[in-house]
Amino acid sequence: MAEQVVAAVRTGPGKTELREFPMPDVPDDGALLKVEVAGICGTDAKMYTKPPFADPVIMGHENVGVIAKAGRAFSERKGLVEGDRIFVEHYVGCFRCEWCHAGEYRHCEATDWRTNPDARRYGYTSADNPYHLWGGFSQYMYLPWNSVVHKVPDGVSAELAGLVTPLSNGIEWALVAAGVGYASTVLIQGPGQQGLSQVVACKQAGASQIIVTGTTRDATRFELAKALGADAVIDVLQEDALTRVMELTGGKGVDFVLDCTAGAGTAPVLLGIDALKRREGVMVVQGELAAFPDFPLKKLTEKSIALKSARGHSYRSCELALEQLASHRFPLERLATHTFGLADADKAIRTVAGEGVKDALHVSLLPWAEAAA
Ligand SMILES: [Zn+2]
Ligand SMILES: [Zn+2]
């Protein structure tokens, strides 16, 4: 094995450098992942332009690879051996606190970089920390005893497994947080990788009507939304979205609204409140806005709307996402539109931000691929 590991490191706002790190000594309870695919999402685009702190960070929090080296205790504890292909969650919990004991390690303080400067989370943790390799934009990644990993089923390629994160979020937000199920009517706002993943989750759960909104530049995404199970699509720039939703639902409105828009301001939430059924609709929001002027709280109360926030995924959602990918029931491979090599990390993130290559849905970094021509 090489002595040095090459990684793309975020060194400042919108700045990436290739750097070498020493190959870590793997302890008995740790392992080393040879990274095959590091998926990139909208959060990366935000963290890249406005890093939350100045330390160098190896980004990449949606990681798939093969175990290159595993300590004896790691193998015993995880039931995994060298050569196994795994998906690594970005959370690294303490497994001592009440959240971790409840299986909700995503809420653990030990992995929450927002409140804990010493938190460990793949793609967010400073590369100055011991073992350095805390992100997927790297040839190798370090796996401590408390990393959370999932075996990728046979028949699921590394690239397809790169979709576990958006799909597991789709399952978590639509089915667990919102409660979409049999015969539900759902409005999904935003046909990006996240919105399309919600389409699949809702369809699989038995939703009777799935409506997806987007804008005029989303023509290709609308086609894919239909191929994945959407019943209707609405271009909010060409049509009055609320009128269309009411037409499509026979004047009733929908049971659920899932906001998967990016940078659309207050409009999706306002539409959601109006598009929900007369009483007890459920809306899941991502809360990108720091403040919401003139929020119509009265309307929310009068319609008895439950407003929930979406926050990542659970262990079970990841397992369900892997099962869904293994079933090949939906043409999910069509979501994986673009790949880049390590040297093109900057371009890859900019593509997700909408500044790079056009018409990207899910973008992945392949650390071992040659740089694009
Ligand atoms: Zn992400
Ligand atoms: Zn914990």
Side-chain angles (χ1 to χ4, degrees):
M1 214 176 270
E3 310 268 287
Q4 298 289 314
V5 178
V6 182
V9 183
R10 183 187 76 212
T11 52
K15 243 181 92 194
T16 298
E17 271 172 41
L18 287 183
R19 280 193 190 171
E20 289 194 342
F21 294 91
M23 181 67 83
D25 283 326
V26 175
D28 190 51
D29 61 357
L32 196 68
L33 183 82
K34 183 173 180 181
V35 183
E36 293 181 293
V37 173
I40 307 175
C41 79
T43 307
D44 291 307
K46 275 180 261 169
M47 293 290 158
Y48 190 51
T49 35
K50 283 191 193 142
F53 49 81
D55 281 16
V57 168
I58 304 172
M59 294 179 69
H61 62 275
E62 309 184 352
N63 303 310
V64 176
V66 170
I67 297 181
K69 203 171 173 188
R72 189 190 46 84
F74 183 94
S75 271
E76 268 174 21
R77 184 176 272 142
K78 311 281 190 194
L80 294 166
V81 293
E82 291 171 10
D84 280 343
R85 176 172 288 145
I86 56 171
F87 163 70
V88 184
E89 293 193 37
H90 56 319
Y91 310 118
V92 185
C94 72
F95 293 92
R96 286 188 291 262
C97 75
E98 57 179 323
W99 287 117
C100 286
H101 277 110
E104 293 286 11
Y105 44 85
R106 63 184 151 152
H107 298 317
C108 175
E109 173 108 52
T111 193
D112 188 351
W113 58 271
R114 282 192 173 83
T115 55
N116 176 8
D118 196 37
R120 295 291 185 279
R121 178 178 294 206
Y122 289 107
Y124 296 80
T125 292
S126 164
D128 288 342
N129 281 307
Y131 298 105
H132 310 297
L133 308 176
W134 293 102
F137 292 3
S138 170
Q139 293 174 324
Y140 292 93
M141 208 167 82
Y142 174 66
L143 304 175
W145 67 272
N146 47 341
S147 55
V148 183
V149 302
H150 301 258
K151 190 158 190 321
V152 174
D154 292 341
V156 177
S157 66
E159 258 188 69
L160 198 56
L163 298 170
V164 167
T165 303
L167 194 54
S168 63
N169 287 341
I171 291 165
E172 188 72 31
W173 305 358
L175 311 191
V176 184
V180 171
Y182 188 71
S184 299
T185 57
V186 192
L187 173 66
I188 297 167
Q189 304 191 69
Q193 54 166 308
Q194 202 49 69
L196 294 174
S197 295
Q198 314 273 341
V199 172
V200 169
C202 292
K203 193 73 177 178
Q204 175 81 352
S208 59
Q209 198 172 29
I210 300 170
I211 306 166
V212 176
T213 62
T215 63
T216 311
R217 60 173 183 169
D218 293 321
T220 323
R221 294 174 173 203
F222 281 153
E223 281 314 306
L224 188 48
K226 285 185 197 158
L228 293 170
D231 298 280
V233 295
I234 303 172
D235 179 343
V236 299
L237 299 181
Q238 304 295 328
E239 305 173 88
D240 183 68
L242 182 58
T243 308
R244 276 291 283 148
V245 170
M246 288 304 166
E247 272 169 22
L248 289 163
T249 55
K252 281 184 175 169
V254 292
D255 301 322
F256 298 94
V257 170
L258 307 169
D259 176 15
C260 300
T261 56
T266 59
V269 173
L270 295 174
L271 170 64
I273 291 171
D274 286 337
L276 278 168
K277 60 187 177 182
R278 198 179 64 86
R279 284 281 195 279
E280 302 226 334
V282 177
M283 176 155 63
V284 177
V285 296
Q286 300 183 64
E288 275 192 332
L289 298 166
F292 199 120
D294 302 320
F295 183 82
L297 187 60
K298 186 162 183 279
K299 206 185 257 183
L300 192 90
T301 308
E302 284 172 355
K303 291 183 81 171
S304 228
I305 291 169
L307 184 63
K308 302 204 167 185
S309 55
R311 284 257 71 90
H313 54 253
S314 60
Y315 186 87
R316 181 162 158 72
S317 294
C318 293
E319 286 290 310
L320 290 171
L322 282 164
E323 269 178 45
Q324 184 73 80
L325 290 163
S327 78
H328 298 283
R329 186 181 180 200
F330 299 89
L332 280 158
E333 62 283 349
R334 287 177 61 187
L335 249 67
T337 53
H338 291 75
T339 58
F340 294 88
L342 206 49
D344 286 324
D346 175 85
K347 198 168 164 195
I349 303 170
R350 290 185 194 282
T351 294
V352 173
E355 303 160 12
V357 183
K358 292 245 168 324
D359 281 332
L361 260 175
H362 189 264
V363 176
S364 293
L365 200 83
L366 312 182
W368 295 89
E370 295 295 318

